[in-house]
Amino acid sequence: MSRLFLILALSLTTLAAACTTASVPTANQGGVYKIRNADRVQLRMLDSVNALREAAGRPPVKLDALLNAAAATHSRDMSVQNRPWHFGSDGSSPLDRVARTGYTGTLVGEAISETYETELQTLTAWMEETGTRSVILDQQAQNMGFAWFQEPNGKLWWTLVMAI
C-alpha cells in the first residue's frame, strides 16, 4: 500500500515537474546530471515533499533560510570528507549545525545522500527507507531546509533537514 502511495505521489510530482522542463536537471553526453536553474531545485523539492505530506495527511512545511544554510554546509562538508554521514568533519551533529545557524526551533531529523541522481530520484529513495520517510512525513515538522553540493564530476551530495 505504501509503495502505491509513493508511486502515485511521485507521479503527480513528476507530472508537475514536466510542465517546467527548462528547470529540470538534464544529463550531459556522459549521462551525469548537471543541475541547471539551481534556484528552482529547492522549490521543486519543497513541492514534492508537500505533495507526499498531503497524501499522507500531514500539514505542509515551508522552506527556512537558516535550515537551508545548515543543509548547504553539510552537503559541502560531506563532499570534502567523501562520505555520506550525519557528522561534520569537525565532529558536528545535525543538532549542532542547525543551532550554529541561529535556528531556535527543534530539529526533527536529517536525510542525506551521495548520488548522481536528481533531487526527485533522491526523494524517491528516501521515501523507500523507513527512517528517512519518517523524517520527511513527521507530523510535527513545520520547516524544511534543503541543499546540495555538486562536484565537478557530477556527484551530488544532498541534505534535507526537517524541524519544528
Side-chain angles (χ1 to χ4, degrees):
M1 180 69 177
S2 65
R3 191 159 188 76
L4 178 61
F5 156 76
L6 177 63
I7 291 170
L8 176 62
L10 286 177
S11 295
L12 291 173
T13 302
T14 302
L15 179 60
C19 295
T20 59
T21 55
S23 65
V24 175
T26 58
N28 65 18
Q29 294 174 348
V32 175
Y33 284 97
K34 293 290 184 183
I35 293 178
R36 297 182 316 147
N37 297 323
D39 57 322
R40 297 184 183 175
V41 173
Q42 284 180 321
L43 296 178
R44 222 177 10 254
M45 180 60 92
L46 178 66
D47 289 345
S48 299
V49 165
N50 279 333
L52 292 167
R53 290 178 61 83
E54 181 180 5
R58 306 296 195 275
V61 293
K62 63 182 190 241
L63 280 175
D64 182 273
L66 296 175
L67 295 176
N68 287 342
T73 297
H74 192 54
S75 292
R76 182 176 292 275
D77 191 49
M78 285 190 296
S79 172
V80 169
Q81 295 182 73
N82 196 33
R83 63 178 168 181
W85 73 324
H86 294 282
F87 293 95
S89 56
D90 62 355
S92 63
S93 71
L95 289 168
D96 298 328
R97 288 188 297 277
V98 167
R100 283 179 190 165
T101 68
Y103 186 81
T104 58
T106 304
L107 178 70
V108 169
E110 179 182 72
I112 59 171
S113 181
E114 164 198 21
T115 184
Y116 290 92
E117 297 177 331
T118 69
E119 71 278 3
L120 297 179
Q121 291 169 317
T122 301
L123 179 58
T124 300
W126 284 338
M127 291 300 290
E128 291 175 355
E129 295 296 324
T130 305
T132 49
R133 182 176 54 246
S134 68
V135 167
I136 293 166
L137 297 180
D138 188 281
Q139 179 69 33
Q140 294 183 334
Q142 299 171 358
N143 298 307
M144 180 179 101
F146 177 70
W148 67 93
F149 178 76
Q150 188 163 34
E151 296 179 357
N153 67 5
K155 183 189 285 187
L156 286 154
W157 300 86
W158 301 103
T159 305
L160 180 141
V161 180
M162 300 294 270
I164 299 169

